[in-house]
Amino acid sequence: TKTAVHGKGGIGKSTTSRNTPVASARRGKRVSQTGCDPKHDSTPTLTGSPTPTIIDTLRSKDYHYEDARPEDVTHEGYGGVGRAEAGGPPAGAGCGGYAVGETAKLPKESNALHEYDIIPSDVLGDVACGGPASPPNHADHRTTITDNGFDASFATNRTAASVREKARMHPLRSAGLIGNRTLKRDLLDKYVEACPMPVSEAPPPTEHIRVSRVKGKTSFEMVESQPHPNYVCDSHPDTADQALSQPEGIAPKEVSDRESSSSLSDSHSNPIRSEGGGNDQENLLDPAKMIR
Ligand code: ADP
Ligand code: MG
């Protein structure tokens, strides 16, 4: 199964894309994570340090795609998880979208991924068209990471619309949503009421996960050596099982941008309470309580 992972920037796509494969690998599956963000920050946590990107490999072969061998494209990382990272031009130069569009083809052309059962592609943000959005053209499913906030739900609706559009030409379907950092679920539930799709859970806001990113490790590797709350790695096996069950997937129902934003903003215009945590939006300070 090839799954493209989408969602608003900073929502937890890379975090989820590198932890779920470890859980799947522990279920005995061959998994290879593909980073498709030109800033190439998706998979180094699986290897502890950056390994050559696909663009690096192509450059060293003078862009002769046919010379790339599977082992030039995928490298083995933590827990036996394979990893490939598209890479891109230096920041501010060239076209990252073009690079991702081109490199998304290479694993297929070089046969680098044929031995894997599950191939998640960690895609750049919520871009819905052009090169950065091309990995779903090679995927069976798309999963969107979201939280309980307005912007993430709005981005989720955009990616749902793009699955519906792409589903006309490609066998792509939505495998649903993964809620990350969701202590509260009211907005997320409201969205799913309007646009029905399966939802599974990633961890709540967790200091351990933030630190694992900084230390360049998956959560599973971190828990081997650091004290941690029990639930840190709990949700990943469920998410992995959901992917392994090979859901048929859905073509999401149409909800217009206007409809989605007005229904979500109705909920969001209610006063924000800071108790209980949640995402950043839910934790905004109440100006009435600020020290002057
Ligand atoms: P994206 O790939 O969607 O841009 P990342 O996966 O890089 O987002 O996550 C953005 C930041 O949020 C990272 O520093 C990551 O460690 C942190 N993060 C993600 N999920 C959680 C969580 N459940 N709890 C705490 N921090 C998280
Ligand atoms: Mg990312």
Side-chain angles (χ1 to χ4, degrees):
T1 310
K2 300 195 197 79
T3 305
V5 181
H6 279 246
K8 161 184 171 296
I11 197 71
K13 296 179 292 298
S14 300
T15 307
T16 308
S17 311
R18 63 179 156 252
N19 285 304
T20 309
V22 178
S24 305
R26 290 185 178 185
R27 298 280 201 254
K29 296 292 171 186
R30 295 279 297 145
V31 195
S32 180
Q33 184 193 345
T34 312
C36 298
D37 182 329
K39 71 180 177 296
H40 55 84
D41 65 340
S42 180
T43 62
T45 26
L46 281 167
T47 40
S49 60
T51 44
T53 65
I54 296 177
I55 284 285
D56 293 335
T57 300
L58 284 177
R59 195 179 296 121
S60 73
K61 297 186 185 296
D62 228 2
Y63 298 94
H64 286 290
Y65 285 66
E66 65 283 7
D67 292 347
R69 294 161 305 167
E71 59 272 30
D72 297 325
V73 175
T74 44
H75 304 263
E76 183 148 324
Y78 176 77
V81 174
R83 43 78 68 202
E85 187 78 51
C95 175
Y98 179 76
V100 168
E102 285 301 296
T103 52
K105 296 181 203 158
L106 186 67
K108 194 171 170 201
E109 285 174 7
S110 68
N111 248 345
L113 298 178
H114 76 276
E115 63 183 278
Y116 292 100
D117 305 308
I118 303 177
I119 306 157
S121 303
D122 176 12
V123 182
L124 170 65
D126 51 5
V127 184
C129 54
S134 65
N137 298 346
H138 308 273
D140 315 299
H141 289 125
R142 172 185 283 172
T143 296
T144 303
I145 316 289
T146 189
D147 61 15
N148 194 45
F150 176 86
D151 294 313
S153 300
F154 189 74
T156 296
N157 194 45
R158 297 262 307 155
T159 57
S162 78
V163 173
R164 206 169 42 247
E165 183 59 31
K166 282 188 193 267
R168 296 171 199 247
M169 306 280 287
H170 301 280
L172 177 72
R173 294 289 179 272
S174 170
L177 309 179
I178 299 178
N180 185 35
R181 287 186 281 221
T182 45
L183 281 180
K184 291 205 288 176
R185 285 275 296 263
D186 51 337
L187 250 264
L188 179 50
D189 289 343
K190 199 171 165 113
Y191 179 74
V192 174
E193 213 175 282
C195 186
M197 54 178 97
V199 183
S200 61
E201 297 286 340
T206 308
E207 177 64 2
H208 175 95
I209 292 174
R210 190 189 65 75
V211 174
S212 71
R213 164 74 178 100
V214 179
K215 300 237 181 213
K217 291 188 160 90
T218 61
S219 301
F220 290 92
E221 190 175 6
M222 273 270 291
V223 300
E224 287 170 7
S225 56
Q226 308 253 330
H228 58 277
N230 288 336
Y231 59 79
V232 166
C233 298
D234 283 359
S235 61
H236 303 300
D238 292 342
T239 311
D241 285 341
Q242 192 152 330
L244 292 175
S245 69
Q246 305 209 332
E248 218 172 272
I250 52 156
K253 187 181 150 198
E254 182 161 4
V255 180
S256 71
D257 283 352
R258 180 191 288 257
E259 207 183 321
S260 103
S261 78
S262 69
S263 101
L264 296 170
S265 70
D266 283 350
S267 311
H268 260 277
S269 4
N270 299 328
I272 294 163
R273 286 182 300 276
S274 58
E275 85 272 9
N279 63 32
D280 292 346
Q281 292 188 16
E282 290 164 349
N283 283 328
L284 288 178
L285 290 173
D286 181 348
K289 292 187 195 147
M290 279 169 69
I291 301 165
R292 281 161 224 272

